[in-house]
Amino acid sequence: MKLRGGDIIRFILLLSIISLFFLPKSTFGQATKKEVYGIVVDTAGSPLKGVSVHLTSSRDTLFTSTSATGYFRFGRVLGNDIRISCSQIGLSILERSYPLYNSSTAKLDVGKLTMFPHVSLLKEIVIQKYKPIVYKQDTVQFNLEAFQFDRRALLEEALKALPNVQVSRDGSVYAFGKAISSVKVDGKKFFGGDVLTATRNLPADFVKSVQVIDFYGDEATAKGIKSAESEKVLNIVLKEDKKKITFGQATLGGGTAERYLGSIGVNRFDNGKEYSMVSSMNNTNTNLFSFGSPNGGEREREMGELADFADPTDGVNKISSIGASFSSPLSKKVNASGKYSFTQRNNNTVGNSFLQSIYGSGKGSNTAISNYEDYKIKSVDRTHKMDWDFDMKLSSKDQLKISPKLSWTNSTSRTLKDRRIRNNRLSSTGKYEAANSTESPAAALNLFYVRSFDKPGRKILYTFHSDFNSLDKDEVLSDDNTAIDSSLTPPKVTNTYLNQMIRSNNESKNIQSRLSLVEPVDLGGVLEINYDFDYTRIDASRSTIDNTLQSEIDSLSLKYDYSFANNKVGMVYRQDIGKNVKINLGFAVQASELTGALTNENIRTSYPNVNLVPSAGLKWKFTKDEDLAIDYYGRNNQPSFYQIQPVVDNTNTQNIVIGNKDLKSEFAHSIVSKYRKSMTRKGQYLEASLAYNLVNDKIVANRTIEPNSTVQKTTYRNTEGYFDLKSYYLFTASLFSDNLQMSLNGNADYYNNISYVNDKKSFGGHFLFTQAIQFRYAWNDIFEAELNGNYSLNRATFDWPVRDNITAHSGIVGLGSKAYMGKHFTIGLELSQKFNAGYSSSWSNINPTIINAYMEYTFGRNNLGMLRFQGFDLMNQNTGISRAVVGNDILDVQNNRLARYFMLSLNIRLQKYPKKS
């Protein structure tokens, strides 16, 4: 077998990385083993048996328990700066530090350690074996003192050491299979809840514990009940001596390929008050803001792609950002918080796409239009955001929360495309060019009020939401095409040219309101009566001008008003059956009306509808660590403006779109089940979910092909038959010892897509399957590694116009390792190999190998300075591919991404403690 140069390099690097797992301990330096021992007694001086004793040092994390005489001993202590913690149920935790002890030969006798009774016992179960975890009803708390990670690191690195918590390359955080949507510090939003700002600014050694909370919303919390969906919120509990501190960081770096990085952040915590300011400029896709938190509802698919050490952002980006936030009590009854941020992103994307549209008519028995495009896109996006929260306790029975938001976005872009379209013996080549400028101001107001009464459990709740969004867009485009019909002799050649300027304005207004009365009834049940109102209005106008003739095209211009009103009255009854079973039954009547008016043509449409909406839920808690939840609920989905606007949109001459003013709103039925089991003694956790979704009056595309051409036309209609089935599981466990952790997760989703092709109904099955595995290994404070693997299958099948299937396979294997060479040096290596099959054969570099390496040196007082040299994408192969299936379309996309560079950076951590510390 012959190996090419690149293959030899990959083989040698992979062999070198794997060999790190088998290096003898002496490789990382010699250390004399020391002995630490002592006796634990109670306040009467009697020895305590079975006390959990935890010893940490600069190089150790050790556990033992006391004998019948209260004696404990650690015989293989390597490090200095020793810290001992003793814990037993019913007694207060005892901690002792010996920071000045650095003898390399002597034994350390800590003497008698006296433990005092605890004033109150915790109701929660605290697992004190290696990884202490507190399990509450909707909260899992991790005590960071029990986990191994670099204490000099930021919180993002510490989170990677927690079981069931994963961090992707772009900084997104996932806990128990769902994305973290918001972050709090000591129960209050930090920087408006922005995830990246918290994880990439807070030092890990400031944090006492991390809580992962299932948050069902303010309304559900006030009612004491749960809705069908929750979001994951991270609450960071600071150490007592870090609750009043000023800290920050400054980073400056430069490298090859004109790469640069500069950031600065200053934060002040003052016993519940928080003030922060951060700023950054870079072209390495290093984000300090989340640019919009991930959605807390549906599980994010990126969690299964943790094996990929490539940068996941398409194109090359220059990012500038600045932001400030505060959180502070204004009075005894009012607490306020606010955030302002500005970001500017300059993006340069070069890529290509391959679109297959499957039809069954036209020339030839099996017609499939293939559209291959090479494109270049340059864009600049500038966004201002301001968020506030005011929490007011009006009285002992009245609470009010007001949250206003403002944002403004300005975007400019320029797109160039070379297009090659083929339909059997019909072909078309063309050049497309577009330049546009948009402005989009937006505002929103959220209000929540709750009133409690003397009767326990009786409450009135009111929620209000209103938002306004506007989009002004000016677009200049040209589309030059040459079509050739080779079925004729001689071939027929047709040239078309489009040169237009389009000015559009869309304004959207939405109001949502909900009033609920909660009333306890006999036998421990709770009855809720509620009324919901939802109103959306869209005012849209578009003016299309032919630049060649310098005249407006009336048939392509419009002024359209559209509104959707929804009223729902219902009731829900909830009942606890014993201690372990909870049920709820509900019923509602939902009346909706969709109206539209085409002003310039005096056309009005109206569609009223009434839905009966039952709901039901069951939660069965088999044991304190095992439960099953099943919920059913229904909802309305209204059509978008672009689906109903009845005017031709030919900005893409090869795909003309026209809306359907007679569309009805969809109605979806959803059944969601979730099973969870914690096996704390074994260090195992299992979670599985199965969801079924059936949609009546599903809005689908109706695609037709123009006779003897490569031009497609899209409109929309309602139909029946759509459903989807989604499932996923997550399993974590310790293997052999607590040093080796395994995590398995996977999902299988099936979509029974409905579409219309040439006015005939087509059923298209779409199957997505993903399986991921992760191993984490930690060897004291010397070495840690993470091995990831991921496989995904994307398969689309069609029953008409031809029986066919299109399948793509993807696989990733990744290995990340880090070694601590003494107190100051750290080296790290990341390697990932992608395997892709079934994509466009014309693509290059479809199986990229990504290798990143770095070396860090810390210095100064408390190692607050760090010098870092890193190499990114050493093989210079980073690229991104993706596949999307919609109706009878299969779209494969490949874009450029951040490639090889080397960078030297300096980071200085700033900390100032109060004088009394």
Side-chain angles (χ1 to χ4, degrees), residues 811-823:
I812 309 175
V813 177
L815 175 64
S817 60
K818 182 186 293 185
Y820 301 97
M821 316 294 288
K823 292 184 177 181

Side-chain angles (χ1 to χ4, degrees), residues 600-810:
N600 53 349
E601 295 188 16
N602 198 25
I603 298 176
R604 297 192 63 85
T605 60
S606 178
Y607 175 74
N609 189 31
V610 176
N611 290 302
L612 305 180
V613 188
S615 63
L618 167 69
K619 183 164 186 179
W620 193 342
K621 195 172 184 65
F622 305 111
T623 66
K624 60 185 178 182
D625 297 322
E626 183 180 14
D627 59 69
L628 171 68
I630 303 174
D631 291 284
Y632 162 81
Y633 56 94
R635 65 184 184 276
N636 258 322
N637 300 322
Q638 64 193 69
S640 69
F641 167 75
Y642 295 99
Q643 292 172 330
I644 65 171
Q645 57 93 9
V647 174
V648 173
D649 181 356
N650 69 343
T651 52
N652 183 343
T653 59
Q654 299 301 302
N655 190 358
I656 299 172
V657 180
I658 181 171
N660 178 5
K661 61 182 177 60
D662 296 319
L663 280 181
K664 306 174 185 177
S665 59
E666 301 175 344
F667 190 80
H669 307 266
S670 299
I671 300 176
V672 181
S673 62
K674 179 180 288 187
Y675 171 80
R676 298 186 301 181
K677 184 175 183 179
S678 300
M679 295 152 277
T680 53
R681 291 186 178 180
K682 298 180 179 180
Q684 298 177 354
Y685 176 83
L686 172 66
E687 179 175 301
S689 175
L690 181 65
Y692 174 75
N693 192 41
L694 172 67
V695 182
N696 299 126
D697 288 322
K698 176 69 175 177
I699 299 173
V700 300
N702 183 13
R703 305 286 299 279
T704 58
I705 181 174
E706 294 293 312
N708 300 320
S709 76
T710 59
V711 178
Q712 302 173 75
K713 181 180 178 181
T714 302
T715 187
Y716 301 93
R717 62 184 298 173
N718 295 99
T719 192
E720 301 294 334
Y722 174 88
F723 68 87
D724 60 60
L725 190 65
K726 302 178 182 180
S727 63
Y728 89 91
Y729 81 97
L730 171 70
F731 175 72
T732 60
S734 300
L735 298 179
F736 310 118
S737 71
D738 291 324
N739 288 353
L740 181 61
Q741 298 287 321
M742 180 193 70
S743 176
L744 290 170
N745 67 77
N747 68 279
D749 301 341
Y750 178 78
Y751 300 83
N752 190 56
N753 287 321
I754 308 296
S755 62
Y756 279 78
V757 181
N758 287 335
D759 297 316
K760 184 174 180 179
K761 194 173 186 177
S762 172
F763 292 85
H766 188 195
F767 179 66
L768 297 172
F769 173 78
T770 299
Q771 175 60 59
I773 186 170
Q774 179 185 77
F775 295 96
R776 291 175 178 171
Y777 175 74
W779 174 21
N780 292 331
D781 289 335
I782 299 175
F783 178 75
E784 61 186 56
E786 183 178 290
L787 177 65
N788 298 283
N790 178 70
Y791 167 77
S792 63
L793 168 69
N794 192 331
R795 179 183 177 90
T797 59
F798 305 91
D799 71 335
W800 192 89
V802 290
R803 286 193 172 273
D804 195 6
N805 71 81
I806 299 178
T807 304
H809 303 269
S810 297

Side-chain angles (χ1 to χ4, degrees), residues 390-428:
F390 299 93
D391 290 298
M392 293 172 276
K393 191 173 182 64
L394 305 178
S395 69
S396 60
K397 298 180 180 179
D398 297 89
Q399 289 182 301
L400 176 65
K401 181 177 180 179
I402 302 177
S403 303
K405 303 176 185 295
L406 291 173
S407 68
W408 180 84
T409 300
N410 170 263
S411 301
T412 57
S413 68
R414 184 178 181 85
T415 303
L416 299 174
K417 293 183 180 180
D418 287 325
R419 180 188 298 135
R420 299 183 293 279
I421 305 175
R422 179 168 293 277
N423 177 6
N424 287 316
R425 301 188 67 182
L426 301 173
S427 64
S428 175

Side-chain angles (χ1 to χ4, degrees), residues 14-23:
L14 183 60
L15 185 63
S16 300
I17 296 166
I18 294 175
S19 67
L20 287 174
F21 284 97
F22 303 98
L23 290 175

